Amino acid sequence: MPPILEVKELKKNYGDFAAVKGVTFDIQEGEIFSLLGPNGAGKTTTISMLSTLYAPTAGDATITGHSVTRDPMAVRGVIGVVPQDIALYEDLTARENLLFWGQMYGLSGKALASRVDEVLEQIGLTDKAKNRVKTYSGGMKRRVNIGVGLLHKPRVLFMDEPTVGIDPQSRRAILDTVKDLNKKGMTVLYTTHYMEEAQELSDRVGIIDHGELIALGTQQELTRQVGQTETLILHLGENDDPEALAKSLDGVKDVLEAIATDHEVSVIAHEAEDVLAAVVTKANERGIKIHSIDIREPNLEAVFLHLTGRALRD
Amino acid sequence: MLKTFLIGLKDLRLVFRDRAALVFMLLAPFLLTVGMGFVTGRFSGTSASGLSDIPVIIVNLDKAELGDALVDAFNSEDLAELVAPSLSSDPEAARKLIDEDEAAAAVIIPEGFTESVIPAAGTMLDPNAAEADPVSIEVYVNPARPTSAGVIKAIVDEFVSRVDEGRMSGMTSVFQMLMTGIITPQQVESEGRALFEDLETTDSAALKLKTNDEGAQATEFDVLAYMAPGMALLFLMYTVSYGGRSILAERAQGTLPRLLVSPTSPAQILGGKVFGIFLTGVAQVGILILASAMFFGVQWGDPLGMTALILAAVFGATGWGLLITAFARNPNQVSSIGTAIMLIFGVLGGSFINLEVMPPSIQFVSKITPNAWALDGFTTLALGGGLAQLTEPIIALLIMGATLFVVSALIFGKKNLVQK
């Protein structure tokens, strides 16, 4: 079966700056595909090109067979977009917003009214539908923002960091909504810089950094890249020097790699317990106080760290 | 087309939910109109028009009853404050003075005017008597002083209308008296002349500018009929820049990019935004005009002409709103530039001060403002003009709007609509 979304060497330059440097990937129908990367990695630019907002500098993408460069109007009809920032009319009610956006997607009459009711039910705002959006909490606004993207039952839904800046409860509700939509057959392209969200939702993940897709595959395939290792994360004090500690761990027995990040040192080893004593000794020798230690199983964070030498949140 | 309409309606709804915008669009012009009404004595009855001592040159070549009656009317006590007439015997010299902006208008009463209205002795019942050729009074107006010239023209129109009315009623009365046997055919001549003489003596009284209790067809130039549209047009510039601002505000708040990734073309979106600005402007001016009619009893004149003028004025102003938006980089810039343009156009366009007291150079420059053209039109309407007399301001406003639309569209085309 051909992929529902196919991206080929997509590039976007802003003057001399290359925001996206020729990414290539595809998404199968019914899949949740996450683009994982830190802020400024090129996730939003990629989604903006796929949703036909920006024209690519080079390359192309097809969605349900329609080219984003040659047939953008056809693409717009089959995609739903949930932008990173809330894009609603705050002086309109939730219902009025949904009615207006539904009309922009060609819905009208009874079909529109009943679809708006369905979406309000789906996002849990039926009771508050007559309140103006400006009176809503951040989480409620996010839900309406998602609802707008669902109105016309798109075949592919683009969600650009939909959980940024909201409370844990609303975040949970949004992740559950995404899973629910996917169960009903919707294909989702989800961008995030939260490793946990990508891990929870995704069938496959593309890791993007500095405009390049540096890894692509299922979570198992990706974690396999860092081998059967564990990561020991040392949380240091504000005045301690993580670089110095990381350097001192070079050559220590069983330490595969030590990477200094902001107030932290990540030590990669086959077995964390094997290196724990040596790491604590080295820190004591340099007068570095370790506040706490985490041991992590191989995950996407470790993959990113392994591939870039930086933490995802850097 | 439907989406364009829906976007425009959405914008209209949003404007009417923005209290701050409503204050600027409706309350501020309304209160300013009230304030200026008090300042000019409109509400205290100390002034009927706000205009005074309008210089007018009268050339009476008729030198008969009706010509003299018109001269008397201009020199009557009733018009003493409003007009400052001077007499001349040379039509060409009078026209030249108007061309040199020495007066608002020249009223040239041609030779034979009275004879063309009142039949000569012995000809009233003579079917073979040659009918006098119709002779018209010429009002040579100064285009630089449209309001004052309009007042003079209205006085003359009123005079002619009264004379014609009197002539017809006199003729009818005489023939009715003849048919019913009240007078004999021999008495027709004397009765007819007596009636026309009555007409001459009553003309000056009938030519008073209408007062509120007179209620006849005479013309009154109400100062609020100038000030209310002046204020409405001043704040119309606020409305159109507010509308233009909304284009950039939508870009900043993400709704414009969201529209652009829906199956809606950029032309439909931009068209919808323009339509929204236009609708809002029409609603604003319409509400203000209705309010001034309801609360102050301002007579707006021909409804058809007024509607056409409002639509044209808002179209022209919308063009300016778009041009400001096309040049601005963000919503705040639109607000700043829009406010400056609103005030400049208010002064230049005559919203604050009647353009007639401005130097000719300012009057010339004022033609770039929708305020000046629209005020010219509203004044014409208030003086009893109709759609036919509004051709010039309406065409000028339409050309202004269309030109600015094209220029703005070209600038929008060069700038990416979604660029931040």
Side-chain angles (χ1 to χ4, degrees), chain B residues 244-245 247-248 251 270 319-330 333-334 337 404-415 417 419:
Chain B
R245 183 185 181 281
I247 296 176
L248 301 187
R251 191 173 76 183
L270 196 57
W320 278 107
L322 274 185
L323 190 70
I324 294 167
T325 309
F327 276 114
R329 290 181 182 169
N330 55 54
Q333 270 190 2
V334 179
I337 300 170
L404 294 171
F405 277 132
V406 171
V407 174
S408 308
L410 289 173
I411 297 170
F412 274 124
K414 283 189 179 175
K415 290 167 80 170
L417 204 58
Q419 77 178 10

Side-chain angles (χ1 to χ4, degrees), chain B residues 83-100:
Chain B
V83 296
S86 56
L87 292 172
S88 168
S89 57
D90 183 354
E92 278 314 308
R95 288 190 192 101
K96 191 161 178 278
L97 286 172
I98 301 305
D99 292 340
E100 290 167 357

Side-chain angles (χ1 to χ4, degrees), chain A:
Chain A
M1 206 165 141
I4 194 165
L5 186 152
E6 214 169 352
V7 181
K8 287 179 188 166
E9 286 296 320
L10 209 57
K11 291 181 185 171
K12 183 68 184 175
N13 296 344
Y14 295 108
D16 293 336
F17 174 70
V20 176
K21 301 170 183 169
V23 298
T24 298
F25 64 92
D26 57 48
I27 302 175
Q28 295 298 321
E29 185 151 23
E31 206 177 16
I32 298 181
F33 181 93
S34 290
L35 269 181
L36 176 69
N39 291 330
K43 303 185 296 293
T44 299
T45 306
T46 303
I47 240 176
S48 297
M49 286 189 283
L50 295 179
S51 60
T52 75
L53 183 62
Y54 299 158
T57 306
D60 200 358
T62 55
I63 302 171
T64 64
H66 304 292
S67 160
V68 296
T69 55
R70 292 189 302 275
D71 197 2
M73 281 302 250
V75 169
R76 289 171 199 163
V78 296
I79 61 167
V81 181
V82 179
Q84 184 173 347
D85 298 318
I86 310 280
L88 300 169
Y89 298 103
E90 299 235 328
D91 276 322
L92 298 185
T93 66
R95 179 179 293 280
E96 287 167 343
N97 263 289
L98 292 171
L99 285 169
F100 172 74
W101 288 108
Q103 288 165 335
M104 292 302 105
Y105 279 92
L107 302 175
S108 61
K110 285 181 183 171
L112 171 62
S114 91
R115 184 62 190 144
V116 166
D117 287 339
E118 280 173 30
V119 170
L120 282 168
E121 183 75 30
Q122 197 169 2
I123 59 177
L125 286 172
T126 304
D127 294 344
K128 310 251 180 186
K130 290 182 179 173
N131 294 359
R132 290 192 193 179
V133 168
K134 69 178 174 189
T135 65
Y136 286 4
S137 67
M140 289 160 76
K141 288 179 186 175
R142 285 266 169 214
R143 279 142 68 188
V144 183
N145 206 35
I146 292 172
V148 169
L150 305 176
L151 277 166
H152 60 297
K153 297 184 179 173
R155 289 184 63 189
V156 182
L157 182 65
F158 295 157
M159 303 184 86
D160 190 11
E161 308 218 35
T163 59
V164 169
I166 58 169
D167 60 278
Q169 196 183 348
S170 298
R171 185 183 188 187
R172 181 74 264 148
I174 288 172
L175 295 180
D176 288 344
T177 303
V178 176
K179 284 194 262 189
D180 187 48
L181 290 168
N182 181 245
K183 268 186 201 161
K184 289 174 182 165
M186 193 175 285
T187 306
V188 180
L189 170 56
Y190 191 97
T191 75
T192 182
H193 63 270
Y194 296 125
M195 179 267 301
E196 303 85 356
E197 289 183 5
Q199 284 193 165
E200 179 178 341
L201 294 174
S202 317
D203 297 308
R204 287 190 307 138
V205 177
I207 297 179
I208 188 166
D209 187 43
H210 293 310
E212 288 179 281
L213 202 60
I214 56 175
L216 178 66
T218 63
Q219 291 181 54
Q220 281 181 333
E221 288 167 348
L222 292 173
T223 50
R224 213 175 288 147
Q225 291 185 17
V226 289
Q228 289 300 314
T229 58
E230 288 179 342
T231 306
L232 198 66
I233 299 177
L234 313 172
H235 301 278
L236 310 183
E238 281 197 6
N239 298 322
D240 293 317
D241 183 0
E243 291 283 349
L245 181 58
K247 274 190 183 171
S248 73
L249 292 171
D250 277 352
V252 171
K253 189 176 176 241
D254 294 330
V255 171
L256 299 175
E257 195 173 4
I259 302 164
T261 57
D262 191 20
H263 307 307
E264 286 178 6
V265 175
S266 300
V267 183
I268 300 167
H270 288 296
E271 295 289 340
E273 282 180 16
D274 294 348
V275 299
L276 186 57
V279 166
V280 173
T281 305
K282 288 283 183 190
N284 286 338
E285 283 172 9
R286 277 158 182 75
I288 293 172
K289 189 180 176 188
I290 299 172
H291 283 248
S292 61
I293 298 174
D294 289 335
I295 297 174
R296 289 188 188 159
E297 299 289 320
N299 60 18
L300 295 174
E301 174 83 43
V303 175
F304 189 82
L305 193 67
H306 172 74
L307 292 171
T308 67
R310 292 179 289 115
L312 256 175
R313 58 188 174 278
D314 284 351

Side-chain angles (χ1 to χ4, degrees), chain B residues 8 27 29 61 69 107 119 125 134 149 180 193 197 236 244 247 252 282 306 330 341 350 367 381 405:
Chain B
L27 195 60
L61 302 176
V107 178
L125 285 180
T180 53
R193 293 207 72 81
E197 276 159 19
L236 173 63
I247 296 176
V282 170
M306 186 182 66
N330 55 54
I341 297 271
K367 298 300 180 190
L381 280 174
F405 277 132

Side-chain angles (χ1 to χ4, degrees), chain B residues 104-306:
Chain B
V107 178
I108 300 162
I109 309 164
E111 194 180 343
F113 174 64
T114 301
E115 269 185 29
S116 76
V117 178
I118 303 174
T123 62
M124 193 171 277
L125 285 180
D126 182 1
N128 299 319
E131 200 171 299
D133 290 333
V135 178
S136 303
I137 297 175
E138 179 188 354
V139 181
Y140 189 79
V141 299
N142 181 346
R145 303 191 194 193
T147 313
S148 298
V151 170
I152 301 302
K153 194 168 173 299
I155 293 171
V156 175
D157 283 350
E158 181 60 18
F159 175 85
V160 171
S161 161
R162 291 290 171 129
V163 167
D164 202 39
E165 214 174 86
R167 187 172 69 97
M168 292 306 292
S169 64
M171 295 282 279
T172 308
S173 301
V174 168
F175 278 108
Q176 272 185 345
M177 286 192 284
L178 179 66
M179 296 302 287
T180 53
I182 294 173
I183 57 171
T184 62
Q186 290 72 24
Q187 290 174 294
V188 166
E189 182 84 31
S190 59
E191 287 294 330
R193 293 207 72 81
L195 276 169
F196 281 119
E197 276 159 19
D198 285 348
L199 169 68
E200 290 159 23
T201 56
T202 55
D203 270 340
S204 62
L207 274 168
K208 279 188 217 168
L209 284 184
K210 187 185 80 176
T211 53
N212 286 341
D213 57 350
E214 207 168 34
Q217 297 296 311
T219 303
E220 175 190 13
F221 184 77
D222 186 342
V223 66
L224 281 188
Y226 184 85
M227 285 177 183
M231 289 301 113
L233 291 163
L234 174 73
F235 285 89
L236 173 63
M237 289 309 297
Y238 165 82
T239 302
V240 296
S241 58
Y242 176 92
R245 183 185 181 281
S246 83
I247 296 176
L248 301 187
E250 284 218 38
R251 191 173 76 183
Q253 75 194 23
T255 43
L256 183 63
R258 188 164 214 167
L259 278 168
L260 286 163
V261 298
S262 74
T264 311
S265 70
Q268 284 174 311
I269 296 167
L270 196 57
K273 297 298 297 178
V274 173
F275 182 57
I277 300 171
F278 181 76
L279 269 185
T280 310
V282 170
Q284 178 200 16
V285 179
I287 288 170
L288 286 170
I289 279 176
L290 274 178
S292 56
M294 281 174 62
F295 293 108
F296 310 135
V298 176
Q299 300 293 317
W300 287 102
D302 177 26
L304 188 64
M306 186 182 66

